[in-house]
Amino acid sequence: QVQLVESGGGLVKAGGSLRLACVASGRTFVMGWFRQAPGRERESVAVISRSGSSTYYADSVKGRFTISRDNAKSTVYLQMNSLKPEDTAVYYCAARTYNMITTSSEEYDYWGQGTQVTVSS
């Protein structure tokens, strides 16, 4: 069983930056960040392979968000720049025990508790 603990959420003005971190208690392969805004379905934001050589970004965050990982620290990061009010959501970290990138939330085995990101205009 793997536990994921997110941190780094908060309130920021539009145009600002935040960095989310997610620490895993065990070995993980593909890791991803998802988000869910009120009244909307959970969506994939960014995904990274175990080696870090393969990544995926949603079109809405390309060029603004960067996913990275430090396997020695069992941590995955999401650097969020040029934040917009529409980025406001609860952000979840997720992990797979299989090393193939997917954006489908149903394919992830473990989930964190979520961290709130609020971007004011």
Side-chain angles (χ1 to χ4, degrees):
Q1 192 77 2
V2 175
Q3 291 186 328
L4 304 175
V5 179
E6 302 109 331
S7 62
L11 173 64
V12 64
K13 291 183 178 180
S17 298
L18 284 174
R19 188 174 83 152
L20 305 182
C22 172
V23 180
S25 65
R27 182 178 175 89
T28 60
F29 291 89
V30 168
M31 294 191 75
W33 288 97
F34 292 74
R35 67 186 181 187
Q36 187 167 19
R40 300 190 66 176
E41 292 187 356
R42 189 171 297 188
E43 63 175 353
S44 175
V45 176
V47 178
I48 188 167
S49 63
R50 176 161 177 81
S51 68
S53 61
S54 296
T55 57
Y56 158 86
Y57 294 95
D59 287 342
S60 58
V61 306
K62 279 181 183 175
R64 300 188 298 121
F65 290 11
T66 302
I67 189 170
S68 62
R69 67 190 294 166
D70 182 342
N71 290 333
K73 296 181 179 179
S74 298
T75 302
V76 63
Y77 304 95
L78 186 67
Q79 178 66 45
M80 304 186 294
N81 299 328
S82 302
L83 282 160
K84 304 175 181 180
E86 51 263 44
D87 293 318
T88 295
V90 177
Y91 283 70
Y92 297 91
C93 174
R96 297 193 77 193
T97 55
Y98 187 58
N99 199 30
M100 181 169 287
I101 282 185
T102 176
T103 60
S104 171
S105 60
E106 290 136 355
E107 301 292 332
Y108 285 78
D109 304 292
Y110 303 105
W111 291 85
Q113 80 286 354
T115 185
Q116 177 71 46
V117 171
T118 302
V119 185
S120 63
S121 56

